[in-house]
Amino acid sequence: MRYPLFLSDFDGTLVRPDGTVSEENIRAIARYRAAGGVFAVCTGRGLTSIVPRLKELGITDGLVVAYQGATVADVATGKLLKDDGFSGEDALKAVRLLEQDGRHVHVYTVDRLYCNVDDEPLKMYERICRVKAEIVRDMPISEYVERKGLRVVKALAMVEKEDRRPLMDWLIPRLGEGFYVTCSADFLVEVMPAGQTKAAAVDFLCGYYGIPREKCAAIGDQLNDLPMIERAGGRFAVANADNALKDRARVVAAVEENGVAQALAIAMGEEL
């Protein structure tokens, strides 16, 4: 097998805009795994959001990567093999900056989501991710984080598409080197601790399975997937991906046209 380890992003890469995964992709994953390949989903979602979706793909064992690489868990048992997040001070710094100007903010612990508004964008997010947020109504969400002593894994702001890049550019110099600012969708700006990227997930899984990085393949569509793509030996981007990924990877079919299945066939040595 050309690439015995294959990491796939979920939203925009494996799952279609309507929230479904094609039967062709599901069959391709099963075929790859039956041939001895290790397939792992690597997502910005939390565990409570992604693990139920894996079962729909027929994946009931192995590892899953959540929160951009900060969290790695055993699918069958739920055991955490990697459990990183912000220090208390850094969490407050990130959340205080994100909540300025009345922004819509999400704060994540390893198993919960908190939000400072209850609006239509949140309802859309909850439908997509199949999670329910706890709404913080009576104080700034940063104050809630501090009072409750929450161990924050990730924080983000929901924004209009045209505001995404300006907010990233505003945050990066104010946060500094201890933070990683990225996006997993056109309407999300996400903040993680420095080093908690999908590239770290490549390193972790390669070490765990004893597979060299050059024998690991990865596929994605958004800027948060770029570190993973650049770290892997086999680099794939779906046709609907951000240009930054398509410039650095082999472009396969779009998510609607089963790009993951196409990349898996190449990973198995079936050059198309």
Side-chain angles (χ1 to χ4, degrees):
M1 185 177 289
R2 187 174 179 183
Y3 298 111
L5 175 59
F6 191 100
L7 277 63
S8 176
D9 172 51
F10 194 65
D11 296 285
T13 300
L14 183 56
V15 65
R16 297 177 290 200
D18 66 359
T20 63
V21 179
S22 73
E23 287 299 321
E24 184 171 344
N25 277 339
I26 292 173
R27 287 193 298 268
I29 293 168
R31 182 167 168 261
Y32 176 80
R33 297 181 81 213
V38 176
F39 181 90
V41 167
C42 186
T43 179
R45 292 189 184 209
L47 290 175
T48 55
S49 175
I50 193 59
V51 170
R53 299 304 309 268
L54 295 181
K55 295 176 181 177
E56 297 174 17
L57 305 178
I59 299 174
T60 57
D61 58 5
L63 302 185
V64 61
V65 179
Y67 292 129
Q68 313 292 8
T71 306
V72 180
D74 183 286
V75 176
T77 66
K79 178 182 178 182
L80 296 177
L81 283 73
K82 185 173 187 283
D83 183 20
D84 289 318
F86 288 107
S87 68
E89 181 180 351
D90 283 352
L92 288 173
K93 181 176 181 179
V95 176
R96 284 168 178 159
L97 284 171
L98 286 170
E99 72 185 355
Q100 287 188 24
D101 299 322
R103 295 189 192 95
H104 176 140
V105 175
H106 293 187
V107 172
Y108 302 80
T109 64
V110 73
D111 58 359
R112 293 191 179 185
L113 163 62
Y114 301 86
C115 186
N116 61 348
V117 293
D118 187 7
D119 57 10
E120 282 306 314
L122 176 64
K123 290 179 173 59
M124 175 192 71
Y125 184 92
E126 290 175 327
R127 287 193 298 269
I128 292 170
C129 294
R130 303 184 187 179
V131 295
K132 188 67 177 174
E134 298 184 34
I135 309 301
V136 178
R137 301 180 186 276
D138 55 349
M139 67 185 76
I141 196 166
S142 59
E143 184 178 339
Y144 186 87
V145 168
E146 186 172 26
R147 286 191 183 188
K148 296 292 185 180
L150 299 182
R151 196 179 71 83
V152 177
V153 181
K154 181 176 82 167
L156 65 78
M158 294 191 75
V159 297
E160 297 295 332
K161 182 177 180 179
E162 62 271 19
D163 295 329
R164 187 182 73 167
R165 186 75 250 177
L167 179 55
M168 292 178 71
D169 291 342
W170 182 83
L171 283 169
I172 289 169
R174 287 166 174 80
L175 286 168
E177 294 182 354
F179 299 82
Y180 167 55
V181 180
T182 188
C183 55
S184 60
D186 289 341
F187 54 91
L188 301 177
V189 174
E190 308 193 10
V191 181
M192 300 289 301
Q196 302 306 324
T197 73
K198 293 190 178 187
V202 173
D203 291 343
F204 185 94
L205 267 66
C206 285
Y208 182 87
Y209 289 109
I211 296 172
R213 280 198 297 111
E214 60 268 21
K215 300 294 288 183
C216 169
I219 187 169
D221 74 305
Q222 276 284 356
L223 292 178
N224 66 319
D225 299 316
L226 187 57
M228 174 176 72
I229 299 299
E230 293 181 327
R231 195 73 169 155
R235 302 172 179 181
F236 297 95
V238 286
N240 53 284
D242 188 281
N243 286 333
L245 275 73
K246 292 193 284 187
D247 289 343
R248 293 167 173 79
R250 175 168 179 169
V251 180
V252 293
V255 61
E256 296 91 345
E257 298 169 344
N258 309 306
V260 170
Q262 188 180 111
L264 283 168
I266 297 169
M268 293 178 69
E270 301 170 2
E271 194 64 36
L272 303 180

